[in-house]
Amino acid sequence: MTLDTLKSANRVIGIKQVSKAVKRESAACVFIADDADERVTAPLILLCEEQGVAVEHAETMQVLGKACGIEVGAAAAAVLKQSIC
């Protein structure tokens, strides 16, 4: 899956919202920014591994935010299962 998918897919943005989506088993794929604080992203990555959710990486928070169509950086984003992963 590429970052371009985030532009048109049903998605959630932010560590808390992505974590909730993974826990509800509604996240198909999760994107994590490589420059985000590891203390914040490590628990989410572990949760994704436990739930069997694919994790993709974005270079920076700015790149991930732009891919989501927002003007600020994002540490994480998830494509919801209603969208094709």
Side-chain angles (χ1 to χ4, degrees):
M1 167 167 305
T2 64
L3 287 173
D4 291 333
T5 307
L6 287 168
K7 292 180 182 175
S8 60
N10 289 336
R11 66 186 180 279
V12 291
I13 304 167
I15 294 289
K16 287 182 183 179
Q17 293 301 317
V18 171
S19 294
K20 287 179 186 178
V22 172
K23 288 176 186 174
R24 288 191 312 257
E25 298 181 2
S26 60
C29 297
V30 171
F31 287 89
I32 304 281
D34 288 337
D35 66 340
D37 189 341
E38 190 175 332
R39 290 176 296 167
V40 175
T41 59
L44 177 57
I45 292 170
L46 182 61
L47 179 63
C48 290
E49 289 173 1
E50 291 171 356
Q51 297 289 332
V53 177
V55 176
E56 301 287 337
H57 293 271
E59 283 184 42
T60 66
M61 291 174 63
Q62 278 304 120
V63 168
L64 185 54
K66 188 174 181 180
C68 292
I70 60 175
E71 294 185 19
V72 295
V79 175
L80 300 177
K81 284 187 177 177
Q82 295 92 340
S83 301
I84 295 175
C85 182

